[in-house]
Amino acid sequence: MAAGPIFTRFKLVSGESAYFVDVALEQLDPRFASLTTLFFGAAPTSPGAYVLLPLDAPQFLIDEDLHELLGRFDRVKAMGWIDSLRSGHTGIGYTFETLVGIEENNHQLADFRGIEIKCKLRNESASPSGKINLFQLAPRWTIPGPNRKRLDVIGAPNADGVLSCYSQVTTTPNNKDLWLSPSSSNPALDVFKHEDMIGQWEHQKLAKRLSEKHSRAVFVSTQSRSHGGLTQYRYSHLLYCERPHIDRFVSLVAARRIVFEFAMRLSMQGRVRNHGYPWRLVDERDLEQLFAFQIQLRQDPR
C-alpha cells in the first residue's frame, strides 16, 4: 500500500515559516514518478532519493553539462571496484576526476563546465580526511600596507626566529589573539587582533567568491576497500547541489566549521612571502550545508 505525501509547516525562531514535503512509498506505485516530477522536476524515483528544494526555486531541469557529467559518472559506476590511481586520501578524488576526463588543476573556478566535484567516503563515522579549500579572498585591511607592517602586527617569531603568521582564525581567539566576528554595523565578517579590528570581508564579496567556485556542485559518495595490497574505490552515489547562500556560509563560520587562515612569513631577503588567504571547511561532510537546493540524482541500494 502506498503512502501519500506529508506536508509539514515549521515556524522558525525568526518568525518566518519553512515548509517540507515528504513523499514515501511502502511499495512501488506507478503514480510515484508523476508525483515526484510534479513537485521536483527531474527527480529520481528509486528508494533513497531525496530533494531539498526552496520554495522560490524554479523547477529543476538537467541541462546539457550536467547530463554529460551524469553519463560519465554512470560509466565509472559501472566499472565497479577500481584501483586508486594515487596513494593517500587524495586518491579518491584524483581517481574519479581522471576517469571522467578532468585534468588536475589549481584553478579558482569549478572543475567541470562550472560544476565543482567533491568525492567523499560513504562511511560517515570515519574521521574527516582534512580541511578543504573553499576559495581564497584577502580581507580589506585596516592596517596600512605594505604587508611587512601587517605581519609586524599579526605575526611572531617562530622556532627559528623568523617572523611569521601561520594561523587558523575562528570566532574564538587563538594563541595569537586573532578572531573573527560578524560586523554589528553592516553585513560583513571582521577579523580582530585583541580588540582591534584589522580587516573585514563584506558579505557581498564573500558571496561572489562562493558563487564563482561553488555555484553548482556534485558530491560523489564512495566506498573503499583494501584488495591485494591496493586501495580500491567504488563510486556509488551522486548528490547535485545549487544555490550556495552567504547566510549558510556565515552560520558555518559562527559554528567554527569554516575557518580562515593566514599564511605569511618573512623571507631571508626581508620580503613577506604570502601563501594566500584561504577560507577552509573543517570537515568536507559539512560542504553540503552551504547549498539551499540539493537533489540525489544517483544512488546505489547496496
Side-chain angles (χ1 to χ4, degrees), residues 77-135:
K77 180 180 177 183
M79 295 170 66
W81 289 101
I82 302 165
D83 292 344
S84 178
L85 300 179
R86 172 184 286 174
S87 61
H89 70 269
T90 60
I92 179 175
Y94 176 77
T95 300
F96 179 80
E97 292 186 7
T98 300
L99 292 173
V100 298
I102 299 173
E103 295 184 2
E104 190 172 27
N105 64 76
N106 293 314
H107 296 166
Q108 291 295 307
L109 301 180
D111 298 316
F112 182 85
R113 303 181 188 177
I115 304 174
E116 182 74 1
I117 298 174
K118 295 294 182 183
C119 296
K120 61 179 183 177
L121 294 176
R122 281 192 59 75
N123 182 8
E124 295 297 330
S125 63
S127 299
S129 57
K131 290 178 287 188
I132 63 172
N133 292 327
L134 292 174
F135 54 80

Side-chain angles (χ1 to χ4, degrees), residues 14 19 31 35 41 129:
S14 63
Y19 299 87
R31 297 171 296 176
L35 187 60
S129 57

Side-chain angles (χ1 to χ4, degrees), residues 72-80 235-236 298-300:
R72 297 188 188 193
F73 171 85
D74 290 339
R75 290 192 287 273
V76 172
K77 180 180 177 183
M79 295 170 66
Y235 300 92
S236 54
R298 296 290 189 271
Q299 59 277 327
D300 191 333

Side-chain angles (χ1 to χ4, degrees), residues 62-292:
I62 296 176
D63 64 9
E64 181 179 348
D65 294 333
L66 181 56
H67 182 270
E68 175 65 25
L69 182 56
L70 289 172
R72 297 188 188 193
F73 171 85
D74 290 339
R75 290 192 287 273
V76 172
K77 180 180 177 183
M79 295 170 66
W81 289 101
I82 302 165
D83 292 344
S84 178
L85 300 179
R86 172 184 286 174
S87 61
H89 70 269
T90 60
I92 179 175
Y94 176 77
T95 300
F96 179 80
E97 292 186 7
T98 300
L99 292 173
V100 298
I102 299 173
E103 295 184 2
E104 190 172 27
N105 64 76
N106 293 314
H107 296 166
Q108 291 295 307
L109 301 180
D111 298 316
F112 182 85
R113 303 181 188 177
I115 304 174
E116 182 74 1
I117 298 174
K118 295 294 182 183
C119 296
K120 61 179 183 177
L121 294 176
R122 281 192 59 75
N123 182 8
E124 295 297 330
S125 63
S127 299
S129 57
K131 290 178 287 188
I132 63 172
N133 292 327
L134 292 174
F135 54 80
Q136 300 235 6
L137 186 64
R140 179 172 58 82
W141 291 93
T142 60
I143 305 172
N147 275 342
R148 173 58 194 268
K149 290 184 178 180
R150 296 161 179 163
L151 186 57
D152 285 339
V153 173
I154 66 175
N158 62 17
D160 298 321
V162 177
L163 183 65
S164 62
C165 182
Y166 289 87
S167 186
Q168 174 179 291
V169 188
T170 72
T171 52
T172 300
N174 63 16
N175 60 347
K176 292 183 172 61
D177 216 6
L178 296 166
W179 54 285
L180 297 169
S181 174
S183 172
S184 59
S185 59
N186 57 57
L189 281 170
D190 301 333
V191 57
F192 286 81
K193 171 76 173 183
H194 301 298
E195 297 302 319
D196 299 321
M197 189 178 78
I198 61 173
Q200 185 181 78
W201 295 266
E202 296 176 355
H203 283 187
Q204 184 178 7
K205 291 185 177 181
L206 287 167
K208 182 175 183 293
R209 287 296 295 122
L210 183 63
S211 179
E212 287 172 350
K213 184 65 175 176
H214 296 285
S215 62
R216 308 174 72 189
V218 297
F219 299 91
V220 178
S221 297
T222 312
Q223 293 173 293
S224 70
R225 72 179 185 184
S226 180
H227 182 75
L230 299 173
T231 299
Q232 293 186 327
Y233 298 117
R234 187 166 71 86
Y235 300 92
S236 54
H237 292 59
L238 185 145
L239 177 71
Y240 173 75
C241 298
E242 289 181 356
R243 304 179 64 158
H245 201 282
I246 186 60
D247 290 347
R248 290 170 174 254
F249 180 91
V250 173
S251 293
L252 288 169
V253 171
R256 300 195 296 276
R257 308 306 293 163
I258 291 178
V259 301
F260 174 74
E261 294 183 1
F262 286 111
M264 308 167 69
R265 71 176 178 86
L266 200 62
S267 70
M268 296 292 292
Q269 293 75 31
R271 295 191 293 269
V272 174
R273 295 193 63 183
N274 189 351
H275 300 282
Y277 297 99
W279 286 92
R280 307 185 74 190
L281 194 69
V282 174
D283 186 340
E284 64 182 10
R285 293 171 294 187
D286 290 330
L287 188 54
E288 298 165 11
Q289 297 184 35
L290 284 172
F291 296 91

Side-chain angles (χ1 to χ4, degrees), residues 19 51-58 242-243 248 291-294:
Y19 299 87
V51 182
L52 179 64
L53 181 70
L55 285 176
D56 63 343
E242 289 181 356
R243 304 179 64 158
R248 290 170 174 254
F291 296 91
F293 172 67
Q294 303 178 15

